[in-house]
Amino acid sequence: MPATEIRPGIYWIGVNDRTTDLFEGYWPISQEGISYNAYLVNGEKKALIDLAKGFKTDEFLAQIADITDLSQLDYIVINHMEPDHTGILSILRQLAPHAVILGTRKTQEMLKDFYQVTENVRAVEDGETLHLGPHVLQFVSTPFVHWPETMMTYETTQKVLFSCDGFGGYGALQGAIFDDQYADPAFYERESLRYYVNIVATFSRAVLRALEKLSGTPVEIVAPSHGLIWRKNPGRIIELYRRWAQYATSEGEPEVTLLYASMYGNTERVMNAVAQGVSRAGVPVEIFDVARIHVSYILPSLWVRRGVIVGAPTYEGGLFPAMVHALDVAARKRVQNRKVAYFGSYGWAGGGEQEFRRLAEGMKWEVLDSFTFRGGPTLEDLKKAEEFGEKFARRIAGQEAQ
Ligand code: FEO
């Protein structure tokens, strides 16, 4: 895609990534892709805000060259050091050797650690302004949205917020860069939530602090470094991020996530009976086979829903390994304060439930109910499973006293 002017003298520069399978080496994006957005402020002085991964470098540099000679760049603003935004820094330094790199003090340290870059680097202060004529940049420290060095850059004359990871999302750009160019932004909202929970959610308190800090700043365009630029409704993505950050401490929506794993179908049969019970209570439920669905897609459901039912067999005296992994990642992402229930099969001795309870305790999950069965479920077990699911769902929906 060509460079695009988003406001007079301010350009989107960026590349779509549809070939990286795992973002951060872990989160699947084969189908959805991702974009790395950067911005060129082309005033009397010229500043490039954020860069891109070391990827499609020719395309990225050609977009800049269509607007200005690379050697004329005065500043490179690093809002965030993670290599998906700085991977081409070393090459750019060679092409724009006079450009001063701007970032927080922490960025200064990280530039040395990641790229051995120490010269022509200047740390900016929180709130400091930089006059580019006619544009004015203001730097806003927003630590831990996503790394400790993170800041955002606000262009004060056009009211554009360059927010880097903040307000970003998975999803390659599909032929257009603005929210108003898509009839249905549901794909980007869904992928922004998945991105939020996968990448940023651990730092939700920092997100709320940043939102509070920005609350008095008039923003007409939210220009993140992943995903859509929000110009028609910048408040939409800001409010979504606020809501998602609040889930870190709230009890979540009165709905159920049903996680299961099954070796030979016994736990799956019971899972279906449990799901019937949940549905009979009229409570929305999302079901995931944790051995087949990457936890990246499961985390958004866990993040927003109050109730979690875990169905997994005992495996060699403990909990089925794929379930342990899914719960471990949820714990690392600080999915806390959920109300949960457990069921599962065992062959000769239990152990799955005990391990589940240990994991649940570590996540401050309240175990409301559980049941186990030996081998395959009897008709009695299936009836019990249905009642178990219904009873749990009604408690989650507040249809019975907690
Ligand atoms: Fe898009 Fe934290 O990097």
Side-chain angles (χ1 to χ4, degrees), residues 74-143:
D74 296 286
Y75 300 102
I76 298 169
V77 178
I78 305 288
N79 279 325
H80 177 27
M81 258 298 304
E82 193 163 3
D84 56 324
H85 305 291
T86 57
I88 65 168
L89 181 64
S90 300
I91 290 175
L92 195 64
R93 291 271 290 174
Q94 292 176 30
L95 298 170
H98 304 299
V100 177
I101 300 177
L102 304 176
T104 62
R105 271 181 215 293
K106 196 79 187 162
T107 301
Q108 225 173 354
E109 290 170 27
M110 288 182 159
L111 279 167
K112 182 165 180 284
D113 295 338
F114 277 76
Y115 300 111
Q116 296 76 52
V117 168
T118 55
E119 294 193 357
N120 243 2
V121 178
R122 181 164 77 76
V124 296
E125 299 298 327
D126 185 23
E128 184 178 329
T129 54
L130 177 70
H131 291 257
L132 303 175
H135 302 284
V136 179
L137 302 182
Q138 183 171 42
F139 305 108
V140 183
S141 171
T142 53

Side-chain angles (χ1 to χ4, degrees), residues 49-50 75 79 132 155 178 186 228 251 344:
I49 300 173
D50 290 320
Y75 300 102
N79 279 325
L132 303 175
E155 204 287 320
F178 294 108
L228 289 186
E251 61 178 357

Side-chain angles (χ1 to χ4, degrees), residues 171-245:
L173 297 166
Q174 298 170 343
I177 61 174
F178 294 108
D179 58 342
D180 52 88
Q181 293 172 313
Y182 291 89
D184 180 9
F187 166 75
Y188 288 102
E189 292 191 6
R190 187 186 71 234
E191 287 303 315
S192 294
L193 172 60
R194 187 165 70 95
Y195 175 85
Y196 181 84
V197 184
N198 289 182
I199 308 297
V200 187
T202 305
F203 310 106
S204 288
R205 284 202 181 129
V207 172
L208 291 173
R209 274 196 295 273
L211 287 168
E212 178 62 27
K213 192 170 184 177
L214 292 164
S215 60
T217 304
V219 175
E220 292 186 1
I221 296 182
V222 173
S225 290
H226 300 297
L228 289 186
I229 297 171
W230 301 78
R231 71 175 176 188
K232 180 185 174 194
N233 192 358
R236 172 69 181 166
I237 193 66
I238 292 172
E239 279 316 302
L240 284 174
Y241 257 64
R242 187 190 309 282
R243 188 192 306 167
W244 298 337

